[in-house]
Each structure stands twice: as structure tokens, then as C-alpha cells.
Amino acid sequence: MNPKDFKIGIIGGGQLGKMLIQEAKKMDFSVLVLDPSPNAPAFKIADEYIVADFFNQDKIRELVEKCDVTTFEIENIDTEILSVLEQAGNKIYPSPGLLEKIKDKSKQKEMMTNNNIPTSLWERISDLNDTAERLGLPFVQKSCCGGYDGRGVFVIKSKEDFKKALGGKTFGEKFVDFEKELAVIVARNSQGEVKSFPVVEMAFDHNENICDMIIAPATVDKAIKEKAKQLAIRCIELFEGVGVFGIEMFLTKEGDVFINEIAARVHNSGHYTIESCMTSQFEQHIRAICGLPLGATDLIVPSVVINILGKEDQYGHPFYDGMNKALKIPGVNLHIYGKDYIKPYRKMGHVTIVDKDINKAIEKSNKVKETLFALSEEVDNVG
Ligand code: ADP
């Protein structure tokens, strides 16, 4: 094959799309991207792009029909037209049928329950009182669709919180008093070959409900890692997923591992693979959807990943304060996504800090957090 003559379509042109293209370009594939924003980060490095909404059926058809294979980096897209196009013989990975189930978190939970995959007890909500009765308080209310980075997740601690409950289609989940949150990136290609990446630990900022730090590898027993790995592999095999999947898990105080949620795409918890593993999650996804052999996933060096989030009160054209200082720290790898507008807590980039000693990597990541800031040029706030 000459990759230049093989066109990959990507629905979604955010940072995940951009990093997918960076890896696709390593092998000289051609890439066509669709995104509603004319300034989408991935457009800067794509061969071609289409500015269109994720539910614009005509434009999605145009993209799929122009490409040899189509994938996506966002789940909230039109699966109806994708199913029609798949039935007409177009290659779309992961399959639209699977995406349809995964993008609705309640259908995802149903799929896990039906396949005996361990996950917390749950039910669709019609009456909050009834759900509270059955799941107990506190319980977690989640939006079925469209939630991300903690939006669409609300912990109901008492009946007082019913007033603040989420609107729309939601479900309730038993509150898990977890010890740690883990994640596994797992890939399967169209021939059925499966490979998982090392298990990582996700540390959360519970004020913002956003993942604050990824520690790779997770600091848990070998037996726990093996349990998490086997669970991730079982999921992707059962669902016959093709591509890379990000699987978030809870580790309970009793040493049980169960699944919180599955993402049918490359995932934030797998960014560390770019510098830390023999193959990155992005290259693995390209290999998987193109029917190529999967790459080795061994860890080369431990690392910590932190997000660069828009600082509070910052709106406007972004600039990055403290780059010089941060880049002087050995092992710092800076990824700036190229978003043209900063908003509080928007993911503007990430930093991967590699170090043979994971504790040193954590120390260094704290230094980076005190040094590097995403700010708006429109405000006089040079630190
Ligand atoms: P998102 O898709 O926004 O990441 P998640 O379902 O992963 O949503 O929830 C975000 C965070 O909320 C989780 O990482 C975890 O910290 C917390 N959380 C979610 N579900 C539960 C639960 N059942 N029990 C306790 N905490 C939970």
C-alpha cells in the first residue's frame, strides 16, 4: 500500500483529531477532517477539511464517500447516517452500531449488565425518590448523552439536592467509595488482534470534577493491574470493537475492579503513550482502523500527564506564560493544541513529564503546574 493514496476521514477536529493526524502523517496517510469550527486545531495539519456540524448528514456522507476508512474523535455525532453509509459498504471504525450504544451512557451500562461486565448498580431515572430508595444516598446522577469532563455528572447527597438535579434523560448509579480510579487503553484491529496498554491511575480535582493527573503506570499491585487489563480486553472482544477504546475503572477498597465508563475513541488517559510507550494510542488507532498489525505497547519510561486548562476568568486569544521555565525541567514534553480561544477550564494542552522515577515525575509535574499557565492576551495578567 502507498499510504499517500489511502485517505482517512476523521469526524472531529479537536486535539484528539490533531494528535491522530500527527501519527497518520508519520506514515504519510492522507487525512480529511470534519468539524463545525473553522479554526479547529486539526484543520491546520489535515490535507483537506470540511466545516460542518456533526449532524450534517450531507457533509458526513461527503466525507465518508471520499475516504477509504472513516473514524471519529468525538462520540456525539450522527450515528444514523453513519449506519446507512456502513451498510452501503463504507468502512467506518469503531462501527456506528457500537458507537450508538456507547455514546448513550445508559445503553452502555445496559450492555455491560447484559454481558456480566462488572459495573456499579444503576437504573434509569423516572422518579428521584424511587431511585434514592433503591440505590441509597448518596447516589450519582448522570446525563445519558452529551456529558463530558464531569459535566453531566451530579452527586445527589440528600433529598435537598433533588432541586438541583440534572434535567433531560438521566440515570442513577450507586455511589462507589473507590480507592483509586484506573484507566486502560485497549485496541483491536479489523482482523481481531487485541493489545492493551499499561494500566494508569487517574487523580481527580474533585472541585472541578476533571482529571488532574495521569500517573503511568498506576501504583497498584500487579494482580490489580492484571485484573484491569483482562477486563478491558474482555470488553473490547465482547463488543467486537475496532479501533482504540479508553476504559475508565474504579478500584474499590476491597480490591475489586469495575468499569465506570467506556469511550469509543482515543482518550485523555492515553496521552502518556506518545512519550512513554513503544507505540502511541494515536498510532495504534490508525493501525487498527487501517487493518495493519498493532504495535507493541510496552512502557519505555514512566510518566505523569497534566492538563493545561484555561485559568479562571480568562476569555480571549490564548498565550502561554512560563513556557521557558517549564521547558527547562528535564523530561517535560509540551503539547499545545492550538485552540484559538481560551475559556476557564478549557483543555488548551497537556504536559507529559517522563522520569525513570515516577515520584520525581510527580514532583516535576507540581513544579510545571506552578510555572505554566494558559492565559488570555486580552487581560493584563502577565505573571
Ligand atoms: P465523564 O464522562 O464526565 O468523565 P464520569 O462518569 O467518568 O463522567 O464521571 C466523572 C467522575 O465522577 C468520575 O471520574 C468519578 O470521579 C466520579 N464518579 C462517577 N461515577 C461515580 C460513582 N458511581 N461513584 C462515585 N464517583 C463517581
Side-chain angles (χ1 to χ4, degrees):
M1 127 198 263
N2 182 352
K4 186 137 207 75
D5 303 326
F6 191 92
K7 201 175 279 181
I8 300 173
I10 305 176
I11 302 176
Q15 65 267 21
L16 300 177
K18 183 182 171 193
M19 290 185 270
L20 277 169
I21 301 174
Q22 285 169 333
E23 293 290 0
K25 282 289 157 198
K26 216 165 75 178
M27 287 186 266
D28 206 34
F29 283 107
S30 295
V31 186
L32 169 55
V33 183
L34 180 147
D35 194 278
S37 164
N39 301 315
F43 285 178
K44 294 179 191 168
I45 56 168
D47 295 285
E48 291 170 73
Y49 61 83
I50 298 173
V51 181
D53 190 84
F54 297 132
F55 289 84
N56 183 328
Q57 298 201 339
D58 293 337
K59 292 294 178 184
I60 291 178
R61 177 184 290 277
E62 183 185 325
L63 173 116
V64 171
E65 288 180 346
K66 271 188 171 174
C67 291
D68 295 285
V69 65
T70 298
T71 188
F72 44 84
E73 56 106 81
I74 182 163
E75 291 170 345
N76 200 15
I77 58 177
D78 196 317
T79 41
E80 195 184 290
I81 185 68
L82 288 176
S83 294
V84 171
L85 291 163
E86 183 190 42
Q87 269 155 36
N90 295 287
K91 285 193 178 135
I92 302 169
Y93 297 124
S95 79
L98 182 57
L99 174 62
E100 173 65 31
K101 286 187 195 133
I102 285 182
K103 75 174 186 176
D104 179 328
K105 284 191 186 180
S106 66
K107 288 190 188 163
Q108 188 184 120
K109 289 289 274 190
E110 203 160 58
M111 203 163 56
M112 289 189 234
T113 317
N114 291 344
N115 286 289
N116 290 321
I117 289 172
T119 186
S120 59
L121 198 66
W122 71 284
E123 64 173 42
R124 291 199 173 86
I125 297 177
S126 52
D127 183 294
L128 286 164
N129 268 303
D130 290 349
T131 301
E133 189 93 347
R134 281 189 287 265
L135 298 180
L137 287 165
F139 74 87
V140 184
Q141 187 196 14
K142 295 187 178 180
S143 299
C144 293
C145 294
Y148 64 98
D149 287 349
R151 273 158 273 189
V153 176
F154 182 55
V155 180
I156 297 193
K157 297 192 183 80
S158 68
K159 293 197 172 181
E160 269 296 287
D161 287 337
F162 287 0
K163 299 192 281 278
K164 293 181 265 172
L166 302 169
K169 263 178 62 188
T170 65
F171 66 98
E173 212 179 83
K174 205 169 170 58
F175 186 85
V176 183
D177 188 18
F178 54 79
E179 174 77 23
K180 278 185 175 167
E181 291 191 67
L182 307 176
V184 182
I185 300 292
V186 60
R188 185 173 168 273
N189 68 11
S190 44
Q191 292 93 322
E193 185 189 6
V194 177
K195 279 209 162 91
S196 73
F197 285 87
V199 182
V200 302
E201 191 173 321
M202 299 188 295
F204 273 76
D205 175 336
H206 285 284
N207 290 325
E208 301 311 329
N209 217 354
I210 193 162
C211 181
D212 188 42
M213 191 186 276
I214 301 283
I215 302 166
T219 52
V220 295
D221 290 355
K222 230 175 147 187
I224 303 279
K225 284 184 192 162
E226 190 55 30
K227 233 188 240 185
K229 176 184 164 177
Q230 291 310 328
L231 193 51
I233 292 175
R234 206 173 119 213
C235 274
I236 199 169
E237 283 183 338
L238 267 170
F239 305 155
E240 296 180 352
V242 173
V244 159
F245 291 71
I247 306 190
E248 294 179 34
M249 302 176 188
F250 293 129
L251 168 64
T252 67
K253 297 194 162 69
E254 295 74 39
D256 291 323
V257 176
F258 50 86
I259 294 190
N260 171 26
E261 66 171 345
I262 301 173
R265 53 169 172 77
V266 284
H267 194 253
N268 199 58
S269 66
H271 292 352
Y272 80 100
T273 58
I274 299 174
E275 287 87 6
S276 277
C277 294
M278 281 194 183
T279 308
S280 81
Q281 65 163 346
F282 301 100
E283 176 173 343
Q284 198 76 309
H285 187 69
I286 300 294
R287 289 181 181 226
I289 63 169
C290 293
L292 295 166
L294 297 179
T297 54
D298 310 51
L299 192 83
I300 301 169
V301 60
S303 64
V304 165
V305 177
I306 54 172
N307 288 315
I308 306 173
L309 301 178
K311 253 191 122 180
E312 235 169 280
D313 305 327
Q314 304 288 309
Y315 295 87
H317 191 258
F319 83 97
Y320 300 88
D321 189 43
M323 266 176 67
N324 258 303
K325 257 182 160 171
L327 287 170
K328 277 192 187 136
I329 302 172
V332 161
N333 296 273
L334 181 57
H335 295 253
I336 295 197
Y337 300 149
K339 295 182 184 177
D340 65 336
Y341 194 81
I342 184 166
K343 281 193 286 202
Y345 307 110
R346 187 171 195 201
K347 280 184 192 155
M348 303 302 289
H350 75 260
V351 184
T352 305
I353 302 103
V354 298
D355 198 300
K356 280 186 279 243
D357 178 345
I358 193 70
N359 291 317
K360 284 206 180 121
I362 295 173
E363 248 171 61
K364 287 178 188 174
S365 74
N366 287 327
K367 259 191 221 152
V368 175
K369 275 194 215 163
E370 291 162 11
T371 307
L372 183 68
F373 299 101
L375 303 171
S376 161
E377 273 183 347
E378 271 85 84
V379 193
D380 180 22
N381 47 21
V382 182

